[in-house]
Structure formats: C-alpha cells, structure tokens
Amino acid sequence: ALKQYNRLLDESDSPLSLLLQFMMPFDGKAFVEMPWYEMAYEILKVPIVIFLKLTIPIVDQDLPNEGWIRPVVTLQMFCFPLLLTGFTLVQDGIPAFIYTPRVLMMIWGVTLMVSVTAATLVWTMSIGDKAPSFWQWMGFVGFVAALMTIYATAKEIVNVILAFGVVFEVGSLILGVTILAVGIGMQDLVTCVGVARAGMAAMAASACIGCSMMNIFVGLGLSGILGPILVESPYHLYISVQLLCCLCFMLLSILLAILSMATFNWHAGRFFGATLVGLYVLFIIVSVLIDVFGADVDGSGMLEDASQGRRRR
C-alpha cells in the first residue's frame, strides 16, 4: 500500500488516471510472475478489493499525505451514502411499503443527491494533494463503512451456514460449534500464532483468553439486554444437551490447562498442547454424536429426535 501511494503521488497524472491506478486490485508486473494458484486467488479477490476501495477511506499517518488522494476520497464519499442506504434496506424489520417501487425510487433519488453533494463538498473544500483539515475526521466514516461491511458479511455467512444445515439436515447448534466456530476462530488462531512466533507469548495467551471472554460475556450480555427489547420479554434461553456439553468441555479445558501448566512449572510444552488439541477433537466428536444419535429437550420441554435433522426452536 505504501509503494502504491508513493507512486500515485509522485506521478502528476490527471484525476481520472490517478483514480484508475488506485482502483487496480493488484500490481500488473507482480501478477504475471505469480504461480497460477496465486493468480487465481488474486482474480477471485478483485470484486472484494474494488468494493472496499470504493467505500472505505483510509486515514493512516504512516502513508504519504496520511492516505489523502483527492479524486479517490471524492469517489469514496460519493459511494458511502449509497452503501449506507443499501445496508439499511436489507435489514430485518423494514416496513413492507418501503419496498414499493415509488418509495424505493424516492429513497435512492434522495441518496443520489446526498452522494453528489458529499462528493462536491469534498472536492471543492480541498486543494490538490494537500490533505484538508477535516481529513482525519474521515477516519470515522471509514470506521462506520468497515463496520457495515463486516456486519453484512457476517450475516450472509450465517445465512449460508443455515442453508447448509437445512439442505443436509444438520442442527443449528452443531453448525455453530463446528463450521461457524472454526470460521470465526481461524482468524484469531492465525493472529495469536503470529504474535507467539514474534516472541510475545504472554500477549498471545492473553489474547486467546480475552477473545473467548469477550465472545461469552459481551455476546451473552448484549443478548440479555437486547433480547427482551427486540425479541420477547422475558427473553428465554433454550438449554439443550449440546449447550450443556459445550459448557462442560469449556470448564474441563480450563481445569486441565491449569493443572497441566502447574504440573510442568507453568511451561506450555508439547504435552500441554496435545492435551488441549485432543480435548477439542473429543468435544467435536461428542457434539456430533449427540446431534446424530441423541434426543434433545429444549426449554419448553418438547422432545425432538436429533437424528431426523430437526430445526430447534
């Protein structure tokens, strides 16, 4: 990114040329020298990279001019209201009359006017390659755009996983502890391994624990706060055998981790790692067996046969 910004700022091209160069999803010279599988990966990333560059302004003090490129930011401010409107329209709970053609035309017409106004203001209130005084505040715009993109992506991932469960008749909880959990935890795993390899083992260990604590405490806490408001009051949490299994294995993993590290003078050796990995494999096996062969009772006392791929309440 730093080389790309330096190259763009060093060249005195027209705004359109700068914009097209910035929107290039990969370096052409490096692309032709890549292996075929890396080429395929770069091609698959093209729509995502272009979308992110169109919608998320990046304010970074390590970049030349703090990342300010006048035609690029102008285009991003034109696209941001369109992204905000599209994100709002796909949310649940929108009244049906909003989706009538006349109302949609009015909404998108107003959004287009706001986009043009925002882009015009950015262009007229800035001069050349010098970052304006309001540029640092644009970081909040990029933050909001990134949050909307992450939320929409996570929502679609959940929808795809639920569709997978319906097609193959797999319970939602088993999908959560396998596919969804691996998808969410893989990023944390790669990050923590990288931190540990950099020599900061304490930071990696605390990050592993902190991520889990945030997911449990903040996730369940927000569910308890927003559930009675958005779903029903009082908000009922359905307890199942699989959920109790998750809780038991979580407590068992904490106990084994403490005992193992205490036994080996608080050093995380191979036995310690193998114990935790084996415990996770056992947890997955037990969860799958309960879902396939077991019977479950939800919070209302309704008995359901898990082997029939039922959908839990």
Side-chain angles (χ1 to χ4, degrees), residues 62-232:
D62 295 332
L63 295 176
N65 290 342
E66 297 182 351
W68 167 265
I69 302 177
R70 190 184 184 192
V72 173
V73 179
T74 301
L75 180 60
Q76 290 171 340
M77 291 309 301
F78 176 83
C79 295
F80 178 73
L82 300 176
L83 173 67
L84 183 60
T85 301
F87 175 81
T88 304
L89 290 176
V90 298
Q91 300 304 307
D92 299 329
I94 302 297
F97 75 91
I98 296 294
Y99 298 103
T100 57
R102 178 175 298 181
V103 176
L104 285 177
M105 290 180 61
M106 293 177 57
I107 292 175
W108 285 111
V110 173
T111 303
L112 187 60
M113 293 175 58
V114 173
S115 298
V116 172
T117 303
T120 303
L121 289 175
V122 169
W123 184 265
T124 56
M125 295 176 64
S126 58
I127 302 175
D129 295 334
K130 183 179 180 181
S133 58
F134 61 84
W135 172 234
Q136 291 187 350
W137 294 96
M138 296 290 292
F140 292 100
V141 177
F143 178 73
V144 173
L147 282 182
M148 291 190 297
T149 303
I150 293 172
Y151 178 83
T153 304
K155 186 175 181 180
E156 290 305 313
I157 291 175
V158 172
N159 291 335
V160 170
I161 292 176
L162 291 177
F164 178 87
V166 171
V167 172
F168 294 96
E169 297 185 344
V170 180
S172 60
L173 197 144
I174 196 64
L175 290 173
V177 299
T178 53
I179 300 177
L180 185 59
V182 171
I184 295 175
M186 193 59 65
Q187 180 180 358
D188 297 334
L189 173 64
V190 173
T191 303
C192 293
V193 169
V195 173
R197 289 174 61 87
M200 295 175 285
M203 181 183 294
S206 60
C208 293
I209 300 173
C211 290
S212 301
M213 292 179 64
M214 179 180 176
N215 290 332
I216 295 173
F217 295 150
V218 178
L220 292 178
L222 290 178
S223 299
I225 295 173
L226 300 178
I229 301 174
L230 302 178
V231 183
E232 62 179 354

